[in-house]
Amino acid sequence: MSDRDLEETWEAWTARIAAHLAALTEDDWLTFAVHVPSRAESTYAAERAARGRRRGRRPGQPPRVPDAFVQARTLAGVLALECIGDTEFEGLTDLTREAQEALVRLGWLRDGDEPEFSRTFGEEGTHEAAPAAAALLAATLSGVLGAARPADVDVRRAPQRRR
């Protein structure tokens, strides 16, 4: 991770992710999850905080939700986002009722009784829809899933196939 990643603003992150979303192909996907520090990282951070400025959650920032992730992919020319509140797909979730209601207020559609939400963009084309989808991702990750800054987000991409 570079210093640029640590200092990236949500606006810059959103623009960068919009470009990645616009470039998705039918066989491609991106996932986003809020990084939850390991015990070793937490211990190191506590030692560093004792020596200087403490980094962590801002007052009023939601707690990090480790068992939730967002996936983006293109299906039949439409950009599809899924927010899965349960990585084990058993219906259990760390998302509070308030967090689930916040997702709906942001524009997510609840898929049944499970803690799963979806949203599609791109009836006008994925390139035009990518900025709005990236904005929803940023709002979800920072406002509901607990990322204090873009560096708190783990982004993963589908393995690239060899041709």
Side-chain angles (χ1 to χ4, degrees):
M1 185 178 308
S2 71
D3 289 339
R4 180 190 67 82
D5 293 329
L6 293 175
E7 302 303 322
E8 186 175 32
T9 65
W10 280 110
E11 292 78 20
W13 184 91
T14 302
R16 183 171 56 84
I17 294 302
H20 289 297
L21 293 173
L24 285 176
T25 64
E26 294 286 330
D27 294 330
D28 207 4
W29 50 260
L30 290 167
T31 62
F32 306 85
V34 177
H35 174 71
V36 178
S38 68
R39 183 174 301 228
E41 288 173 312
S42 298
T43 300
Y44 178 70
E47 289 172 7
R48 285 184 48 208
R51 291 181 273 163
R53 184 171 74 103
R54 182 182 179 112
R55 284 193 174 205
R57 239 179 351 122
R58 296 183 312 252
Q61 181 76 21
R64 293 179 180 181
V65 182
D67 277 343
F69 70 96
V70 180
Q71 178 172 282
R73 54 193 173 138
T74 302
L75 299 170
V78 174
L79 188 55
L81 302 182
E82 295 176 284
C83 181
I84 308 296
D86 165 35
T87 58
E88 298 299 322
F89 305 106
E90 295 173 358
L92 302 173
T93 183
D94 286 335
L95 287 170
T96 63
R97 180 182 311 275
E98 293 78 19
Q100 293 180 51
E101 290 169 359
L103 289 171
V104 171
R105 284 192 302 275
L106 286 174
W108 289 95
L109 303 173
R110 187 172 190 121
D111 296 335
D113 294 330
E114 301 298 324
E116 298 177 16
F117 301 83
S118 64
R119 179 74 191 273
T120 58
F121 297 85
E123 291 72 22
E124 68 280 358
T126 56
H127 290 289
E128 293 79 13
L136 177 61
L137 283 168
T140 299
L141 293 161
S142 66
V144 180
L145 300 183
R149 59 185 195 229
D152 292 339
V153 179
D154 288 329
V155 181
R156 297 185 183 185
R157 186 174 204 131
Q160 300 300 308
R161 295 183 185 185
R162 293 185 182 204
R163 295 175 195 216

